Amino acid sequence: MQGIGGVAAEMLTRCGIGRLLLYDYDKVGMTKTDAAVQTLSDINPDVVLESYTLNITTVHGFETFISSLKNKSFHPTEEGSGVDLVLSCVDNYEARMAVNQACNELNQTWMESDAVSGHRRLLIPGETACFACAPPLVVASGVDERTLKRRGFVQHLCLPQCTKYTEALAQFGHVSPYLQGCNSLKDYFPTMEMRPNPQCSHAVCLERQKEYLLAKPARDAAAKTKMEAESFLATGIPLHADNEWNIRRVTAADTTTTTIDDLEELTKQLDALNA
Amino acid sequence: MEGWDPNTKSTLTQIPLLATKAGPRDGATWTQRLKEEYKALIAYTQMNKSNDNDWFRISAANPEGTRWTGKCWYVHNLLKYEFDLQFDIPVTYPSTAPEIELPQLDGKTQKMYRGGKICLTVHFKPLWAKNCPRFGIAHALCLGLAPWLAAEIPILVDSGMIKHKDDATSSTDS
């Protein structure tokens, strides 16, 4: 709820988004998310605002994060998780990895932005690279992302993309998958696509990639049908909508091993050394 | 491993490496990982004791092993300074290293984030990422906390930010 997140939340509220969930673990007197809810509800009282104060990188916080995203009470009949888009506006690698993990598990499209490199990207589990598919430059080069100074610019890029994406649900505009940055001297916005890494270290990402590939025939058929529909519509011939099926690989159940005794013994051994 | 202290390097190579890549939500494989964590911690503690360099105590604060607490200490100018330590295992462990916290020093040094999380050198994260999942809690202590104490405590003491307790723990062994 700071440089990128605060501004994004405000702009989305002003645009009249239906529901906004805000997550931050920090306080400014009161919790940051409660403060944000107060300010934002003054701006636009029609937006449903939910405030969560938690650290999503802990196991407990993460579980709360996931279940809040799954909550479909706002639009019970919609497919997918309870939200249309997750916007990650965090400033550290650990939190991004946690969001990545959650979105991979929920098959949730999300957007990630980073003020160090000035980039913004769209992540669709299985279709585009997930955050773990390619290690970020920050970790590889050892730059401490918290020392960055130029933070202000990225929210201006992130927000229009996010708005376009929500409109893209209504098929408006084109959201580029990876906006690398902005060369303002030349008015040049380099963009690119990032495919998933078939050797990604996240097992869930690999699952999503398989699902995406398996669903390809259905997607191609759907695209073809859509093209045919557009040409047939004028003549009023009825069409059959393709059924898209989701083939899922059933993961093998974890073999349970009798580890309790071993673990207890090891705990006792460590405690003995601690004494 | 350029940029590391030679003592840190040689100590690190003697701590057993871990094999299982599992996070705290992975059920039975997490239990396997926990066992390996314990083995590495036991080995590291035993090594420290035999090298007369016993500098921490640590134990799991819950049966799932997702929260750990303990103490660490550092000797400066013949005085022993002791601090509580704690951390949670992050949900994306072991890809992400645990963020070790020394809550008593919160706000006393620039090399610390809010809540007492120690700020590690630029070398730590790339090394952790490269060696995932072989590094565990013991390695995080050796590579993260130990150098941090060595760098920060002398400055904190000499500048007067922390004072030695009168009921000194230096005369007793733990």
Side-chain angles (χ1 to χ4, degrees):
Chain A
M1 292 306 313
Q2 247 171 257
I4 302 175
V7 178
E10 184 187 335
M11 294 199 196
L12 284 169
T13 306
R14 288 184 187 280
C15 289
I17 196 110
R19 179 168 85 122
L20 257 186
L21 289 72
L22 309 163
Y23 303 86
D24 202 309
Y25 69 90
D26 210 355
K27 292 184 169 51
V28 279
M30 56 164 58
T31 64
K32 275 192 178 169
T33 47
D34 284 342
V37 166
Q38 266 188 17
T39 314
L40 295 173
S41 47
D42 282 342
I43 294 174
N44 186 345
D46 292 333
V47 176
V48 174
L49 294 161
E50 292 176 23
S51 144
Y52 295 90
T53 303
L54 45 77
N55 179 349
I56 59 166
T57 64
T58 62
V59 177
H60 178 70
F62 186 80
E63 300 291 342
T64 312
F65 179 51
I66 287 223
S67 56
S68 66
L69 290 176
K70 279 198 212 164
N71 184 349
K72 288 166 93 163
S73 49
F74 190 64
H75 259 153
T77 53
E78 295 269 333
E79 277 183 28
S81 75
V83 300
D84 296 302
L85 181 64
V86 168
L87 270 186
S88 163
C89 312
V90 298
D91 64 354
N92 65 85
Y93 174 73
E94 288 79 13
R96 282 193 186 92
M97 286 293 270
V99 175
N100 185 58
Q101 179 76 22
C103 291
N104 273 346
E105 286 182 20
L106 295 173
N107 206 1
Q108 170 69 53
T109 301
W110 62 293
M111 283 185 153
E112 183 261 321
S113 53
D114 169 33
V116 174
S117 55
H119 82 244
R120 193 274 316 143
R121 63 171 165 156
L122 178 68
L123 297 100
I124 308 173
E127 187 178 329
T128 66
C130 88
F131 191 70
C133 282
L137 189 61
V138 153
V139 175
S141 70
V143 173
D144 188 349
E145 58 196 348
R146 287 180 170 99
T147 62
L148 65 92
K149 302 262 192 288
R150 49 184 174 97
R151 203 188 284 264
F153 182 59
V154 185
Q155 63 258 28
H156 306 301
L157 295 175
C158 186
L159 208 283
Q161 302 298 329
C162 162
T163 318
K164 266 200 286 180
Y165 183 82
T166 50
E167 303 298 336
L169 300 179
Q171 283 143 21
F172 169 82
H174 166 71
V175 180
S176 49
Y178 195 129
L179 180 64
Q180 267 181 300
C182 168
N183 184 336
S184 45
L185 292 176
K186 296 186 186 165
D187 278 345
Y188 173 53
F189 291 75
T191 64
M192 66 184 214
E193 268 186 44
M194 261 182 87
R195 293 285 158 79
N197 178 0
Q199 283 154 11
C200 180
S201 58
H202 269 203
V204 190
C205 176
L206 298 176
E207 264 187 57
R208 297 282 171 259
Q209 289 180 42
K210 282 206 176 79
E211 287 166 15
Y212 184 73
L213 285 171
L214 286 171
K216 188 173 192 313
R219 267 199 308 279
D220 292 343
K224 191 170 163 210
T225 315
K226 191 175 158 192
M227 271 178 26
E228 286 168 4
E230 273 152 21
S231 59
F232 273 126
L233 258 171
T235 57
I237 297 174
L239 297 160
H240 300 286
D242 244 12
N243 277 331
E244 224 180 271
W245 65 91
N246 224 350
I247 302 173
R248 296 178 73 89
R249 180 168 59 91
V250 176
T251 54
D254 283 332
T255 52
T256 50
T257 50
T258 52
T259 53
I260 307 281
D261 291 335
D262 270 349
L263 193 57
E264 273 185 16
E265 274 176 29
L266 286 167
T267 320
K268 283 187 195 137
Q269 205 179 353
L270 187 61
D271 286 340
L273 284 171
N274 279 341
Chain B
M1 278 186 63
E2 66 292 321
W4 291 97
D5 178 68
N7 278 337
T8 309
K9 275 199 234 182
S10 66
T11 312
L12 184 79
T13 49
Q14 294 171 61
I15 307 176
L17 297 173
L18 287 75
T20 309
K21 181 165 185 178
R25 295 167 73 243
D26 292 335
T29 31
W30 170 243
T31 312
Q32 178 58 32
R33 171 91 189 178
L34 261 185
K35 279 165 51 181
E36 294 171 12
E37 296 279 0
Y38 270 105
K39 288 179 188 160
L41 280 169
I42 288 165
Y44 187 30
T45 311
Q46 283 169 338
M47 196 192 333
N48 288 336
K49 289 195 177 201
S50 53
N51 290 341
D52 199 22
N53 183 24
D54 193 15
W55 65 273
F56 70 87
R57 291 282 175 268
I58 193 165
S59 55
N62 59 16
E64 300 85 37
T66 55
R67 185 161 177 81
W68 293 74
T69 54
K71 291 186 188 299
C72 60
W73 49 89
Y74 187 80
V75 179
H76 179 59
N77 292 342
L78 304 177
L79 289 177
K80 181 166 141 180
Y81 297 84
E82 192 177 270
F83 310 100
D84 294 327
L85 71 89
Q86 65 190 31
F87 57 89
D88 292 290
I89 299 288
V91 76
T92 43
Y93 184 82
S95 306
T96 47
E99 295 184 288
I100 302 174
E101 300 163 32
L102 300 178
Q104 292 158 314
L105 296 180
D106 191 10
K108 295 197 157 77
T109 164
Q110 299 237 340
K111 300 287 179 62
M112 195 170 253
Y113 303 115
R114 207 121 48 128
K117 293 186 179 161
I118 62 175
C119 175
L120 300 172
T121 72
V122 294
H123 305 294
F124 181 87
K125 272 192 188 168
L127 190 62
W128 182 277
K130 206 164 69 159
N131 284 282
C132 173
R134 292 180 290 277
F135 282 359
I137 298 172
H139 304 85
L141 291 169
C142 174
L143 282 175
L145 184 57
W148 190 92
L149 289 172
E152 297 307 312
I153 303 304
I155 299 174
L156 286 169
V157 171
D158 292 342
S159 65
M161 287 298 282
I162 56 178
K163 296 198 172 10
H164 191 257
K165 281 191 255 186
D166 282 333
D167 50 341
T169 47
S170 51
S171 50
T172 53
D173 256 292
S174 103

